[in-house]
Amino acid sequence: MEYNNIWLAFLEKIKGKVKPVLFQTWFKDTKLIKLNDEYAFVEVPLDVHKKHLKENYNDLIRETFMEVTGSIFKFEYVTEEENEVEETVTAENNQAIFESGLDSKYTFDNFISGESNKFAKAIGLAVAEKPGSMYNPLFIYGNSGLGKTHLMHAIGNYISANSNKKVLYVTSEKFVDDFLNIYRKGENSNFNAVEKFKNKYRNIDVLMIDDIQYLEIASKTQQEFFNTFNELHTKNKQIIISSDRSPDDLKKLEERLRTRFNWGLTIDILPPDFELRMAILDKKVEAQGIGNMVPTEVKEYIASNCTTDIRKLEGALTRVFAYATIMNGSEITIELAVEALKDYIGKAVLAKNKIEQVIGIVANNYNITPEDIKSKKRLKKIAVPRQIAMYICRINLKESLPKIGSEFGGKDHTTVMHSVNKIKDELKKDKNLEIEISKIINQLN
């Protein structure tokens, strides 16, 4: 907390010395992570920040930091990835002090909700108000970048702020690493390592495990998680789990674990619709105090092209800010945004393969999501686009029926064949459908 306070004071001072757009681009998302007698270590979002801060702001940073601390420090900049090893070592050295793992910046107040995630937010708040008494376990799933981790931290922070309950948030990789650490110890210290592990994971009121899908590759750890789950659940301790897939789709997890995940409530977070994407962008520019600098058409351009991942959406906005800054503080216009994002958007929507590309284009044309197409939903507004996408993959891409079925959420090859034949029959009597399909095919790379 002392580092946080020092850096907050530093940021307040630096904010008055540079233009708002420069502060938002280069300083806002930095944090002080370590001080020694000679160096101050600062975490930055990207490698470009390391280079830019060192080359363009080093003297200003040292001078301003001296105003706050009264001491002169040299500065080293590291990215989050470079800091992970250091954080792990620090955590192990301070295991005697309980650390929740929660990030205080994620709250319900700044979790922007819309049609795609309002149910998840409501359930999360209900669990936060009465942990252990309802929806236990709570299983949250959805694609990367949709806010699962934000929601978990929001739940944990709410519980911590409104009760004396002990909350622990970890990733599944951290759980696995802590478990394997037992076997890394020498024979004499093995018993202590086991006790330390059990004390950390079982002497708590709320356990949050993020990205549980990575437990699939750790069979021995699954047994330990099963034991931990049972002990906590028996004591009515709240368990919250997140994954990129539903419990039933985690095929490599033991069935007894998947069964337990379904004991409580399973909720999915869907990609944000256009309205929510715009709300997220509005909130971001409003929080940065630069709303009048970003025209609506620029936000609409970003929202229209970054459709499936909130991180990509926010990253696109940051990229536009950075580009305007590098171009000598140019005014942010639609032309500048298109130039700034010409490579970024291409990478953001780059399909993993041609089938994924077809699914994405068809979903976009029919105003549904790729997840809808891959789902088991039989609504006409989803079923017809799904059949069209399967038809294109079979007839135009020449993909095999089993591969198409697999990419469409695990459909049987007979389902694919039926869909293809259905569209063939429709094309014989519907010229408009032929035009629609031609337009889709023309959008393929």
Side-chain angles (χ1 to χ4, degrees), residues 77-128:
Y77 305 99
V78 296
T79 62
E80 183 178 358
E81 291 76 13
E82 292 168 336
N83 188 37
E84 281 179 353
V85 174
E86 180 67 24
E87 285 184 331
T88 300
V89 172
T90 302
E92 289 175 353
N93 290 339
N94 291 287
Q95 279 188 349
I97 302 172
F98 177 76
E99 294 183 3
S100 70
L102 294 170
D103 190 330
S104 60
K105 71 182 178 183
Y106 295 119
T107 67
F108 284 113
D109 289 337
N110 59 27
F111 184 88
I112 305 172
S113 60
E115 288 299 319
S116 62
N117 62 8
K118 65 180 181 181
F119 177 69
K121 181 178 181 180
I123 293 297
L125 185 55
V127 169

Side-chain angles (χ1 to χ4, degrees), residues 11-12 29 70 116 126 146 171 180 184 192 200 240 261 268 273 311 316 327 342 362 392 394 410 435 442 445:
L11 290 176
E12 277 301 312
D29 294 323
S116 62
L146 298 183
T171 62
L180 295 179
R184 297 188 188 112
N192 290 335
K200 176 177 180 177
I240 302 172
F261 292 163
D268 60 336
D273 56 22
R311 294 193 194 108
M327 299 299 288
K342 63 181 181 182
V362 171
I392 293 172
R394 179 62 175 162
I435 294 171
N442 288 335
N445 293 332

